[in-house]
Amino acid sequence: MKIVLENLTKIFPSRNKKSSDEVVAVNNFNFEIPDGKLIGLLGPSGCGKSTTLYMISGLQKPTGGKIYFGDDDVTEVSTEKRGIGLVFQNYALYPHLTVRQNILFPLQNLRGADKMSKDDMLKRAYEVAKLVQIEELMDRKPSELSGGQQQRVAIARALVKMPRVLLLDEPLSNLDARLRLQTREEIRRIQKETKITTVFVTHDQEEAMSISDLIVVMKLGVLQQIGAPQDVYDEPANLFVAKFLGTPPINVFDGEVKGGKLYIGDDAVLDVKNVPDMPVTVGIRPEGFVLDENGPFKCRLSNVEVMGRDVSIVSTHPASLNPIIRSIINADHKVEPKNDEVAYTLKPHKVFLFDKETENRIRF
Ligand code: ADP
Ligand code: MG
């Protein structure tokens, strides 16, 4: 089922009655979450991800705007009646109940026409337990499970009522690195198998990129860009998005366009024919550098790190806005610096220009 957010806004009043510094946690969101897709809400802490998710769930009431599930306006519908499954960062399982009882719990609370027989409930509980691969653990208590297993139980519990929408708020944050990777692949598999429209909140760009059909990048309650992960990476709308996506991060420089050429310091590094003369901020992805002893972009070499398949070259440049520049080169290339200098040509599609004032992308 698709979800539509229309002019969705959440303003928290200031805690201090005398001051007027209210927080606009979510500022006029308009976007559609397509049916059966997994979308990642991505942005730094405090940008309004959880608030957006809680409004979709009904746990928080919007200050303005509407939420549609399919064609139904659910803005005023209670959480229980929205048909959602929720998973939080801390698994929030009942410690005194077994895994089986934890999963059964939402079904036991069903009333009226939705009420299920005991056999049907058990059958359903085992189906979801199987889906998240914990059917062997049904008799254990949460304290007897690893973090990853607990999170699977929480996911099973969220799925057992067959929700129309699955909402996950930083579900992997409490897991160690290896389990995080494994569990995120699990979530992807479960989502693909069940085809439940899913909203996945994370501050981790790599996590969002790897798991999502679409990512929604947010900053301070304002939507920055929405698109397929690779498209957003390849075509960032502004400097914030360019800097937020990618490991190692994009390299950023002060630059200037003069006579159709992009200058970084004194080096004319690229032709940018359609851009008028103006100062710009330049972003260059680490994979955008090509070693070339006659290349126009000359940097001071600091260090070469061989990482198996790739070589990471650390260098500096006076116009760099970061302490170091990191470029990633195929390990087949030998790095032969001259007088501690390393020269590059640039791949044009890996170079982005941004307006110095608005930080919006300037296309060339
Ligand atoms: P995220 O999940 O992206 O870290 P949140 O949605 O939790 O961000 O918060 C967005 C902004 O709203 C933050 O500035 C936060 O301090 C503020 N906020 C969240 N919940 C409340 C609340 N109940 N009362 C006041 N301010 C809140
Ligand atoms: Mg949050």
Side-chain angles (χ1 to χ4, degrees):
M1 195 184 50
K2 78 170 179 192
I3 302 172
V4 180
L5 310 185
E6 199 180 275
N7 303 327
L8 193 68
T9 297
K10 179 72 183 183
I11 301 172
F12 291 108
S14 74
R15 274 176 235 260
N16 178 348
K17 284 211 169 62
K18 285 192 195 113
S19 85
S20 58
D21 51 349
E22 53 187 27
V23 178
V24 184
V26 174
N27 192 347
N28 201 33
F29 274 16
N30 285 287
F31 61 87
E32 185 176 319
I33 301 167
D35 179 36
K37 300 290 185 201
L38 191 158
I39 78 138
L41 290 188
L42 173 65
S45 176
C47 73
K49 304 181 295 294
S50 294
T51 304
T52 305
L53 199 79
Y54 297 162
M55 287 195 286
I56 295 172
S57 75
L59 290 175
Q60 271 177 359
K61 206 174 142 47
T63 312
K66 297 221 171 290
I67 301 166
Y68 296 89
F69 283 8
D71 295 326
D72 302 334
D73 180 349
V74 298
T75 317
E76 301 293 330
V77 175
S78 71
T79 300
E80 299 76 45
K81 298 216 168 94
R82 287 196 191 186
I84 51 151
L86 263 171
V87 178
F88 297 100
Q89 171 176 346
N90 52 355
Y91 329 112
L93 301 174
Y94 301 107
H96 58 290
L97 300 182
T98 63
V99 168
R100 183 188 298 100
Q101 289 165 330
N102 265 284
I103 299 175
L104 282 170
F105 194 83
L107 299 180
Q108 287 162 338
N109 284 329
L110 293 174
R111 296 285 173 263
D114 297 329
K115 203 166 161 56
M116 295 172 71
S117 75
K118 212 163 178 208
D119 280 353
D120 286 347
M121 285 195 274
L122 266 178
K123 189 159 166 268
R124 181 79 66 74
Y126 272 90
E127 276 166 17
V128 288
K130 193 152 183 258
L131 183 68
V132 304
Q133 300 179 338
I134 49 164
E135 68 267 40
E136 325 272 274
L137 309 172
M138 294 295 252
D139 291 315
R140 292 208 201 163
K141 294 270 177 67
S143 61
E144 297 162 338
L145 303 176
S146 71
Q149 290 168 332
Q150 289 186 50
Q151 196 55 298
R152 281 164 199 249
V153 177
I155 294 168
R157 193 179 55 180
L159 289 172
V160 76
K161 277 208 280 185
M162 301 194 164
R164 302 191 288 174
V165 176
L166 181 62
L167 305 172
L168 307 140
D169 192 358
E170 313 244 7
L172 309 178
S173 299
N174 282 2
L175 306 180
D176 65 46
R178 201 172 55 85
L179 258 179
R180 203 152 55 221
L181 214 77
Q182 193 188 338
T183 312
R184 95 180 177 207
E185 281 161 17
E186 281 288 284
I187 290 175
R188 187 55 171 154
R189 174 186 64 77
I190 293 162
Q191 194 275 329
K192 281 197 161 150
E193 278 180 37
T194 57
K195 298 194 178 64
I196 296 177
T197 309
T198 299
V199 184
F200 183 100
V201 162
T202 178
H203 63 273
D204 180 332
Q205 58 90 22
E206 199 184 326
E207 199 167 282
M209 298 269 285
S210 67
I211 199 173
S212 311
D213 294 306
L214 289 175
I215 55 172
V216 177
V217 186
M218 302 164 54
K219 174 193 173 189
L220 290 173
V222 180
L223 196 149
Q224 305 290 304
Q225 193 169 2
I226 177 165
Q230 191 67 44
D231 293 346
V232 178
Y233 181 82
D234 288 340
E235 301 287 350
N238 59 39
L239 182 61
F240 175 82
V241 174
K243 280 161 79 169
F244 201 72
L245 299 186
T247 33
I250 196 163
N251 301 286
V252 183
F253 303 85
D254 267 328
E256 182 152 22
V257 176
K258 275 185 290 189
K261 289 193 187 304
L262 170 64
Y263 286 84
I264 296 178
D266 297 329
D267 302 331
V269 296
L270 206 65
D271 285 342
V272 288
K273 292 221 161 51
N274 306 323
V275 184
D277 290 5
M278 64 191 294
V280 289
T281 303
V282 186
I284 309 175
R285 294 272 181 221
E287 67 275 22
F289 298 82
V290 181
L291 274 181
D292 174 359
E293 57 183 295
N294 301 314
F297 190 30
K298 295 178 177 63
C299 301
R300 179 155 295 279
L301 184 72
S302 316
N303 198 10
V304 178
E305 298 166 8
V306 181
M307 309 182 296
R309 191 160 42 92
D310 297 324
V311 177
S312 169
I313 303 178
V314 179
S315 62
T316 58
H317 189 285
S320 173
L321 295 177
N322 312 107
I324 60 156
I325 306 161
R326 196 176 280 279
S327 58
I328 306 288
I329 312 281
N330 190 301
D332 298 342
H333 293 80
K334 266 227 157 60
V335 184
E336 289 171 25
K338 276 193 217 150
N339 318 320
D340 291 338
E341 188 180 271
V342 58
Y344 300 106
T345 51
L346 300 176
K347 298 179 190 168
H349 65 290
K350 293 290 180 184
V351 179
F352 307 116
L353 303 187
F354 304 97
D355 187 297
K356 266 202 165 340
E357 297 291 317
T358 65
E359 301 196 341
N360 285 332
R361 175 102 174 268
I362 301 164
R363 302 201 174 246
F364 60 87

